[in-house]
Amino acid sequence: MSRSMPITMLLGLVALCAAAAPALAQNGPDVCSALSSACILEEAERAAGALSRADEQDEAAYAIAVAQSRLGHFDEALAIAAEISGGRVEAELLSAIAIDMAAYGEFDRAHAIALAVPDARPDWVRVRALETVAAATAAAGDVEAAFEKVVAIDNPFRRSRAQAEIAAAIARTGDYGGAIRAASRIATDYWFSPDQHRLKVASGLVSRAGEFDQYWFYEALASIAQLQARSGDIGAALQTAFAIPDIAGRSRAMSRIGAIQADNDDIDGAFATAARIEMAYGDLEVLIAIADARARKGEFAEALDLAKGIVSAYADAGGLVSVAQRQAEQGLFEEAKATVGLISNPEFRTRALSRIAMVMTDAGRVDDAIAATAMIFDAEDRGIAVRDVAVKLAAKGEVAEAIAVADAHARRRDRGDLDVAIALERAKAGDVPGALSAARAIGDDMFRAMALAAIAPHAES
């Protein structure tokens, strides 16, 4: 991409300027007063036009194109994609556009765009796009077309995963029978296709038939069982789980069902389900959910006993993390910090401190929240926790406080992304004027363009 603005973006800018002329006349050439998505995108494009580095141009163009895509302006988004110089950015952008097209119901066009995504194999960008488009197609009722859309995925393991997503998408519509029929196709498509032997060898991962080859068939059934449990039909969920012929897949399904029972405060039922799990350590998720449920109800002594038992038996502090969070939610901040003190594993300790910091922010105790983040050892994790505190403040409408936290505590390299996130949170909360003020205060042209583009879909169309 050259330093000058691409011709496709210039043409769009001319049209937008004509539409927004009255507003521009009142506020000068750089800022428009109309709270319309078109006007805000125009402003974003002007900021992007000041960039000279190709990588920064690509980042800003990506944000603008994604905004156009979110608004359903797919031709405009595709025109911008054609001007992007970086292959990785182009792949991600085309994938995002294809997924948005599917959300708008343009399934065939979405599929064509997904097929055009450059094959960024390390992150499976093309495969993820095809998978998402197929799932949306299935959710809309065209199951055959959904399965046809994943045929282009040449790796059989990834194709099976995409088919499992199709089955889950059908289940999310409430058609559990249809979902189970779709899941059964994962096994038959793999085992009985004419080129099954070639495909298994081509995957490069199959060592023994039975475990790897059927993994996504079992996972699809486990997902269906989980969705049945969430709908309140525990009996049907258990029936689906018991139908899984693989002990690991069956245990995963039972574990998810038990966790949902605990989330619904059916602790006795959760314990009963956990007792029926056959896989060693397979009941861990259920036990953590039970500890969380008890803590949520204020039964902290029982919750702590169970959480400590989980640490001893499974070397997993997830239960203690949940207890600390629930104590903080009930205003027991000193007790929460004491529970964190029982956690020796750095990863779980970070998770607990991050959650407590968010609860403290919600409670208006920002200084305490920052103090909690300061106890996180890893600099990267600490930076993420500080970012989350600032974003939470912005979501609450406390933009000045969010910026103060960013000024005082955010890492220099995080600041641009954090400024964009603060502006976006105001837009998501419905405060587009406040979001625009925050975005326009960003000094860096690239991040200002990104913030304005992120705001645009939340403005008047």
Side-chain angles (χ1 to χ4, degrees):
M1 183 182 291
S2 64
R3 179 186 176 92
S4 60
M5 188 176 293
I7 187 64
T8 51
M9 294 176 72
L10 280 171
L11 290 173
L13 177 56
V14 170
L16 291 171
C17 283
L24 289 169
Q26 295 173 16
N27 288 279
D30 295 326
V31 177
C32 62
S33 63
L35 298 180
S36 68
S37 57
C39 197
I40 295 169
L41 282 172
E42 174 193 350
E43 196 175 329
E45 287 171 341
R46 278 197 298 273
L51 300 171
S52 58
R53 288 175 46 182
D55 60 337
E56 292 184 346
Q57 289 177 337
D58 282 354
E59 289 295 331
Y62 176 92
I64 293 168
V66 165
Q68 294 281 23
S69 181
R70 297 285 185 271
L71 290 162
H73 304 159
F74 300 122
D75 290 337
E76 292 87 339
L78 289 169
I80 296 172
E83 300 290 340
I84 285 179
S85 59
R88 176 71 172 271
V89 179
E90 179 192 11
E92 291 285 356
L93 178 52
L94 288 175
S95 176
I97 293 170
I99 290 169
D100 286 338
M101 282 181 177
Y104 274 83
E106 298 187 25
F107 303 119
D108 290 339
R109 191 181 184 197
H111 184 234
I113 297 300
L115 289 173
V117 173
D119 189 6
R121 181 63 58 103
D123 286 332
W124 299 94
V125 179
R126 180 171 177 268
V127 170
R128 284 189 281 113
L130 289 167
E131 179 181 292
T132 305
V133 170
T137 304
D142 197 341
V143 177
E144 289 303 320
F147 273 91
E148 289 172 5
K149 283 177 170 50
V150 299
V151 170
I153 301 175
D154 56 5
N155 182 289
F157 185 70
R158 293 299 302 231
R159 185 167 62 248
S160 294
R161 170 176 166 168
Q163 292 168 334
E165 278 299 309
I166 291 172
I170 298 168
R172 282 190 286 271
T173 70
D175 181 7
Y176 299 112
I180 291 170
R181 288 191 295 274
S184 69
R185 293 179 60 168
I186 300 171
T188 57
D189 283 357
Y190 189 87
W191 282 103
F192 299 109
S193 59
D195 56 355
Q196 58 161 311
H197 180 70
R198 181 183 65 81
L199 289 174
K200 290 175 188 173
V201 173
S203 74
L205 296 171
V206 179
S207 58
R208 285 195 302 272
E211 296 178 6
F212 171 88
D213 293 343
Q214 298 284 15
Y215 176 85
W216 286 110
F217 169 49
Y218 303 142
E219 184 61 19
L221 291 174
S223 296
I224 293 167
Q226 181 178 11
L227 289 164
Q228 288 174 311
R230 283 181 183 165
S231 75
D233 196 342
I234 298 296
L238 291 171
Q239 185 176 7
T240 301
F242 287 134
I244 300 174
D246 170 70
I247 186 174
R250 188 164 59 250
S251 296
R252 287 196 303 274
M254 296 287 287
S255 177
R256 295 172 196 175
I257 294 167
I260 290 168
Q261 289 175 292
D263 289 342
N264 292 335
D265 290 331
D266 181 10
I267 292 176
D268 290 340
F271 269 125
T273 299
R276 301 169 77 176
I277 294 174
E278 304 157 81
M279 192 93 167
Y281 306 107
D283 58 352
L284 173 61
E285 181 182 356
V286 187
L287 296 177
I288 291 174
I290 293 171
D292 179 63
R294 284 186 160 163
R296 190 173 62 245
K297 295 169 66 176
E299 300 173 1
F300 291 116
E302 296 87 342
L304 273 172
D305 284 344
L306 179 55
K308 291 175 184 177
I310 293 170
V311 173
S312 299
Y314 298 87
D316 189 297
L320 290 174
V321 172
S322 292
V323 172
Q325 178 183 346
R326 299 304 181 186
Q327 287 172 319
E329 288 173 350
Q330 296 187 32
L332 304 173
F333 295 112
E334 293 305 316
E335 290 84 346
K337 287 189 280 187
T339 300
V340 173
L342 300 174
I343 303 173
S344 58
N345 181 286
E347 179 182 348
F348 287 103
R349 184 180 176 86
T350 294
R351 192 185 307 171
L353 288 168
S354 298
R355 292 186 186 181
I356 289 173
M358 296 303 286
V359 175
M360 289 174 168
T361 304
D362 266 334
R365 300 179 55 158
V366 179
D367 289 343
D368 289 336
I370 294 299
T373 67
M375 297 169 65
I376 297 173
F377 176 76
D378 182 79
E380 184 71 24
D381 291 333
R382 190 166 58 250
I384 292 170
V386 168
R387 177 191 184 280
D388 289 344
V389 169
V391 170
K392 171 68 76 173
L393 287 168
K396 294 172 62 183
E398 300 171 15
V399 178
E401 292 84 349
I403 293 173
V405 166
D407 286 341
H409 303 287
R411 294 179 300 176
R412 183 184 183 92
R413 66 187 181 90
D414 292 339
R415 186 56 194 269
D417 287 330
L418 182 49
D419 286 338
V420 173
I422 288 171
L424 176 58
E425 284 303 318
R426 294 313 311 137
K428 287 163 63 176
D431 181 13
V432 174
L436 286 172
S437 294
R440 288 167 180 158
I442 299 173
D444 185 282
D445 289 323
M446 183 187 76
F447 287 112
R448 187 168 66 258
M450 292 170 63
L452 289 164
I455 292 166
H458 300 276
E460 300 172 2
S461 55

